Amino acid sequence: MTDISATPATVWRVLTDVRRFAEWHPTLSVDEEAPELKVGAVVSLRLGGGAAGEQKFEVEIVQLEPERLLVWEGGTAGVFFGEHSFELEVLPDGVRLVDVERFTGSMAESVIGENREALEREYRQVGWALKEMAEKLG
């Protein structure tokens, strides 16, 4: 969780402008031209370092509630499949970002178990980076 001193609209604008992830996100960027974000859209992402190393992958937007919830998922069902949610909770002086990722499949437990601390550190870094960008845009 990360508390951000910005409006939900500002945080949402930063979070959903995936073409500009490389400007603030510590590890993710868009690998190809990003589509309009809507349920069913597929986004090609590039992971540049971190616990998972360098890789390309696609996610599908499965939930989208403006200024409140963005959920994407991707991977190989039954082997290693992830669902990543970004929820915005309105606070009296800003927004709380709740960033949750759940993995399932035969490899999930071992992969996540080996990398849990690094992943948790990376999620905190993402929250801080989003906070910095949103508060700068104010």
Side-chain angles (χ1 to χ4, degrees):
M1 289 188 293
T2 306
D3 290 352
I4 303 171
S5 296
T7 66
T10 299
V11 176
W12 186 255
R13 187 172 74 238
V14 174
L15 180 62
T16 59
D17 188 357
V18 294
R19 290 178 300 274
R20 297 182 75 181
F21 268 14
E23 294 177 22
W24 65 269
H25 198 290
T27 56
L28 280 183
S29 60
V30 172
D31 193 44
E32 298 173 3
E33 184 62 32
E36 175 188 347
L37 285 192
K38 60 183 179 181
V39 172
V42 175
V43 182
S44 296
L45 296 173
R46 177 182 296 276
L47 189 60
E54 304 271 337
Q55 60 179 289
K56 295 180 186 180
F57 60 100
E58 290 185 338
V59 296
E60 180 180 352
I61 306 300
V62 295
Q63 285 184 272
L64 187 72
E65 297 176 35
E67 298 185 20
R68 199 186 91 62
L69 182 67
L70 170 63
V71 182
W72 66 49
E73 59 185 26
T76 303
V79 179
F80 192 78
F81 193 79
E83 179 186 83
H84 200 141
S85 65
F86 303 89
E87 184 174 359
L88 305 182
E89 299 175 357
V90 178
L91 301 174
D93 59 347
V95 173
R96 174 167 291 146
L97 169 69
V98 180
D99 182 356
V100 177
E101 193 157 27
R102 292 180 183 85
F103 295 98
T104 59
S106 60
M107 294 178 57
E109 188 175 327
S110 64
V111 170
I112 299 306
E114 292 172 13
N115 297 291
R116 183 168 309 281
E117 287 182 28
L119 288 168
E120 289 174 356
R121 184 172 47 254
E122 288 173 21
Y123 295 138
R124 285 191 302 273
Q125 290 171 341
V126 169
W128 296 333
L130 178 59
K131 172 184 175 71
E132 182 177 354
M133 179 61 82
E135 289 179 354
K136 184 183 346 179
L137 295 174

